[in-house]
Amino acid sequence: MAKIAANSSEHESAGRPRARHLASDDGWTVSDVVCTAGPQDHPFEEKHSRTSIAIVVSGTFQYRSVAGRELMTPGSLLLGNAGDCFCCRHEHGTGDRCLAVSYTPEFFERLSADAGGGGRPFGVVRLPPIRALAPLAAKAAALLAGAGSVTGVELGIELAANAIQIAQRAAPAGAAAKPSSLARVTRVVRMIDNEPCMRHDLRSLAQIARLSPYHFLRTFEELTGTTPHQYLLRARLRRAAIGLRTESTRVLDIGLACGFGDISNFNRSFRSEFGMSPRAYRHST
């Protein structure tokens, strides 16, 4: 997987994560972390040297630590407590990329106290790609695309505050899914992220996964933390948000290219997700 920056060095071995330093200051470090591991690579155990939060920008992988195991997908947050051992597997796809922030114990304790977390460690290992995290995921993707205007410390503080507050209400990881179901859902997730503009509904996605619609819906939500419809919509909106920051293309054309049938639907969905219109988002800082 894309390991946390503070725990990663520049690995030269095939399949190992590589971290590129983006910014740092007293108490925090932000890195762009890319992994090229795939099903052929043997997973290895590591340890979080600091409290760590990573936004998955692309790719999928299975993440396991003492706090549980989850499927990591684009838009989700990986949570790691200092001192926890963890392991990542890429059984059903190759590669991923994360924007990762690590915090010293003192700095994170202050952030946690201010955010109402009381300095407690994370009780879950993942936050799914929910609406509250959509602006952060879009900022991370834009930053890695060279179009982000947010500074490292702003992103680090905003990321920690949201993760602390949402993690307190999050349910712990459920029972592990069957390997066959995990493989099928992962295949659908990667297909959506590669081509979010494609027309799909529950029945067509279930057919791709070779599961009944009921079983697919239940399994997909268990593994990703969202329904297939929510995941597809957020993948489209995230792609649109990146385009608004990195391209000069008309707003209408960006919406249509991302799978929205008309501008009113695009505007309405975008405003619900990001709290502002696509045009306002393009010109926001």
Side-chain angles (χ1 to χ4, degrees):
M1 75 161 253
K3 306 302 188 295
I4 305 308
N7 307 319
S8 304
S9 59
E10 292 286 348
H11 295 283
E12 298 299 331
S13 308
R16 291 296 182 100
R18 302 186 67 179
R20 179 172 63 92
H21 176 269
L22 298 179
S24 61
D25 203 343
D26 292 337
W28 55 270
T29 300
V30 181
S31 297
D32 171 16
V33 192
V34 176
C35 182
T36 58
Q40 74 283 357
D41 295 300
H42 185 72
F44 53 93
E45 188 173 87
E46 297 188 86
K47 179 183 288 188
H48 291 296
S49 59
R50 292 180 172 186
T51 298
S52 308
I53 306 173
I55 303 176
V56 183
V57 175
S58 63
T60 59
F61 55 93
Q62 298 87 51
Y63 171 67
R64 175 179 57 81
S65 79
V66 294
R69 65 175 64 191
E70 294 283 9
L71 173 65
M72 303 301 302
T73 62
S76 61
L77 263 60
L78 181 155
L79 308 178
N81 297 310
D84 283 358
C85 293
F86 67 96
C87 182
C88 300
R89 304 179 68 93
H90 291 75
E91 296 178 348
H92 310 113
T94 299
D96 64 82
R97 188 179 190 185
C98 295
L99 188 139
V101 187
S102 64
Y103 309 84
T104 63
E106 298 78 15
F107 191 82
F108 189 80
E109 187 174 347
R110 292 198 301 271
L111 287 177
S112 181
D114 291 341
R120 294 183 295 273
F122 290 122
V124 294
V125 299
R126 181 203 67 186
L127 298 180
I130 58 176
R131 175 172 293 173
L133 298 175
L136 283 172
K139 282 182 181 179
L143 185 63
L144 294 182
S149 59
V150 66
T151 66
V153 67
E154 289 172 340
L155 181 62
I157 291 174
E158 189 177 4
L159 184 61
N162 279 270
I164 290 165
Q165 293 169 358
I166 297 172
Q168 293 181 80
R169 306 187 299 270
K178 295 180 179 178
S180 59
S181 296
L182 176 62
R184 292 172 180 180
V185 168
T186 301
R187 182 169 63 247
V188 171
V189 166
R190 284 187 169 254
M191 183 203 67
I192 289 174
D193 288 309
N194 288 333
E195 298 180 325
C197 61
M198 296 294 290
R199 299 289 180 184
H200 286 295
D201 56 20
L202 176 61
R203 185 172 298 278
S204 65
L205 292 173
Q207 289 176 343
I208 293 170
R210 297 181 181 178
L211 296 170
S212 71
Y214 170 77
H215 189 197
F216 173 71
L217 175 62
R218 184 181 64 180
T219 305
F220 191 99
E221 190 165 9
E222 286 177 351
L223 288 171
T224 67
T226 64
T227 67
H229 173 73
Q230 290 169 337
Y231 191 89
L232 177 59
L233 177 61
R234 294 209 163 96
R236 290 174 175 172
L237 290 170
R238 191 165 55 248
R239 178 74 62 89
I242 297 170
L244 289 167
R245 289 285 174 81
T246 60
E247 303 172 13
S248 58
T249 309
R250 293 188 308 167
V251 171
L252 170 61
D253 293 334
I254 288 177
L256 294 176
C258 291
F260 293 91
D262 58 78
I263 188 63
S264 60
N265 182 29
F266 176 47
N267 284 333
R268 183 172 58 254
S269 299
F270 196 95
R271 187 183 293 275
S272 295
E273 192 79 352
F274 294 98
M276 63 182 77
S277 69
R279 192 174 302 278
Y281 182 85
R282 165 171 272 172
H283 298 293
S284 65
T285 57

